[in-house]
Amino acid sequence: MFLTNQRKWISVSTINISQAQIPEGESEWVEIDVGVDSDLSTVTLHLYVINGEREGPTLWLQGGIHGNEQGGSLAVRDLALELDPSEISGAVIALPVSNPSGFANKRRGSQINHVGPRDVNSLFPGDPDGTFPERLADEIFSLIRSHADAVINAHSADGETIMHTEFAYVPMSDTTTDERTSKLGSASGITHLVELDTTEMSGWMTAELVERGIPSIIVESGSGTHVYEWAYETYRRSIQNVARHLDILDGKPEETDSSQTVYSDLVFLNAGEGGFVETFVRGGDEVESGESLAEITDLKGRQRELITSPCDGTVFAIRSFPTARPGDLVIEMAPAPTPTDDAE
């Protein structure tokens, strides 16, 4: 059983969130106000709660913590709206947009902060008395810890890069949560799994949840500027697979055509010079150490920089924007893949 040696399932009868009460066998949108902006407008989180007719665990689905990564938000919303409470054991709680101001402005971080960090996903578990992004992180974190038994957080590449493949972050913490978190990654069916120690992900929502006993993974695919059908289906398939793994939905996780690959690190290759960018690879390509991955040229067509692979590995994301400034991401890749066939 998924929740062995863990707290009792939360969704045993009526779900109480904020002032809302959602009985067994019903679904409802719940609005939670998390603050007031300087123009006196209220910042609101919109949750869709589907409470099944039978007892079981609660799966929390989330998108849009980075406001410029919007494809996952659409998939989370669509899938949640399709769920029928009569076909669910346990519950599903969907938060399609978890960073409202960033989402509205198509910006990575919260736009309601001018002092300190804006990236909400680096500020967990949050601070109820801190800056607005810290307060938002605290509100979301508190909701998850009160109501969820497992979490899927949908991300994508940002507006200047594209991920032609798929991968999932699987935080590992040397705790009893690791096995359950690893099984979420395997059950998702995602081709590439990146297992990182939670100490390398300090402040990330998924890592902080795993540290506190709640299995959580990040699913990444596509781009922030366009909802590609293949990326949209990646989110849907992985969420449905995890829900089946948890016995929230009937059936078994969909079998994948190929074995999953587990990585233990990521490498980010940034531009050292500004100029026009031409990439020679795409997401999913396997590359060798020293292989040319991208070139940066100046206005007169002269090469400013040749970016090569520092190791054998697999490319995840490439720069899609035609230019780069010094420090901009050009290639994201993972070194030294280790095959595994333990997907369940």
Side-chain angles (χ1 to χ4, degrees):
M1 182 180 295
F2 173 72
L3 296 177
T4 300
N5 298 324
Q6 200 190 19
R7 60 188 177 183
K8 184 176 176 60
W9 290 328
I10 296 170
S11 54
V12 294
S13 56
T14 298
I15 297 178
N16 297 287
I17 295 184
S18 187
Q19 303 300 313
Q21 296 182 332
I22 301 91
E24 290 177 322
E26 295 190 13
S27 56
E28 182 179 330
W29 281 101
V30 178
E31 296 183 355
I32 299 178
D33 294 337
V34 293
V36 178
D37 200 354
S38 57
D39 62 359
L40 303 185
S41 61
T42 301
V43 181
T44 304
L45 295 176
H46 299 267
L47 286 77
Y48 189 58
V49 181
I50 309 101
N51 193 5
E53 292 185 349
R54 298 175 297 277
E55 184 181 87
T58 296
L59 175 61
W60 180 283
L61 308 177
Q62 181 167 306
I65 194 70
H66 289 148
N68 59 349
E69 302 175 11
Q70 302 190 354
S73 297
L74 180 63
V76 166
R77 184 208 67 177
D78 288 354
L79 183 58
L81 290 175
E82 293 172 11
L83 293 175
D84 185 340
S86 67
E87 299 175 354
I88 290 177
S89 298
V92 174
I93 300 176
L95 177 60
V97 178
S98 47
N99 174 11
S101 66
F103 191 87
N105 290 280
K106 303 178 182 63
R107 294 290 185 267
R108 180 180 180 88
S110 170
Q111 299 303 290
I112 311 178
N113 188 47
H114 300 288
V115 179
R118 293 187 176 194
D119 185 353
V120 183
N121 198 45
S122 67
L123 299 174
F124 286 91
D127 181 350
D129 299 313
T131 63
F132 179 79
E134 291 172 327
R135 296 180 186 215
L136 178 60
D138 172 75
E139 181 68 36
I140 293 171
F141 205 71
S142 297
L143 286 167
I144 293 174
R145 294 193 69 189
S146 297
H147 298 285
D149 296 300
V151 176
I152 298 179
N153 195 356
H155 285 245
S156 71
D158 62 19
E160 297 187 356
T161 56
I162 184 171
M163 196 175 298
H164 291 103
T165 186
E166 60 187 31
F167 79 93
Y169 282 105
V170 183
M172 307 302 287
S173 64
D174 294 326
T175 69
T176 56
T177 315
D178 282 1
E179 181 180 358
R180 291 178 285 123
T181 303
S182 180
K183 286 183 176 180
L184 286 190
S186 296
S188 72
I190 295 295
T191 306
H192 305 290
L193 304 178
V194 181
E195 293 187 348
L196 295 181
D197 192 279
T198 52
T199 58
E200 300 179 54
M201 306 169 70
S202 179
W204 292 27
M205 188 185 82
T206 47
E208 298 297 335
L209 288 171
V210 168
E211 286 282 354
R212 290 159 177 80
I214 300 177
S216 176
I217 62 172
I218 295 174
V219 174
E220 298 229 14
S221 189
S223 171
T225 57
H226 184 80
V227 180
Y228 295 93
E229 182 177 355
W230 42 268
Y232 179 83
E233 290 303 321
T234 291
Y235 299 124
R236 291 178 59 90
R237 170 173 47 83
S238 59
I239 291 170
Q240 290 171 329
N241 280 343
V242 168
R244 293 184 182 113
H245 165 67
L246 300 177
D247 294 325
I248 292 174
L249 294 178
D250 291 337
K252 295 182 178 180
E254 178 183 316
E255 294 185 4
T256 57
D257 295 332
S258 58
S259 62
Q260 291 175 306
T261 304
V262 178
Y263 306 82
S264 60
D265 196 10
L266 284 176
V267 175
F268 299 90
L269 304 178
N270 299 323
E273 301 285 344
F276 292 97
V277 178
E278 180 183 1
T279 55
F280 309 135
V281 292
R282 59 183 283 146
D285 286 353
E286 295 184 2
V287 297
E288 297 180 352
S289 179
E291 182 175 339
S292 297
L293 305 180
E295 180 185 45
I296 297 178
T297 57
D298 65 15
L299 193 60
K300 297 181 179 180
R302 298 171 298 192
Q303 185 183 90
R304 298 290 303 277
E305 182 180 7
L306 181 66
I307 297 176
T308 61
S309 178
C311 57
D312 294 346
T314 303
V315 175
F316 284 171
I318 63 172
R319 189 164 188 81
S320 57
F321 206 71
T323 60
R325 296 159 296 187
D328 282 346
L329 178 65
V330 178
I331 300 287
E332 179 182 358
M333 62 177 293
T338 303
T340 180
D341 292 309
D342 60 353
E344 294 185 4

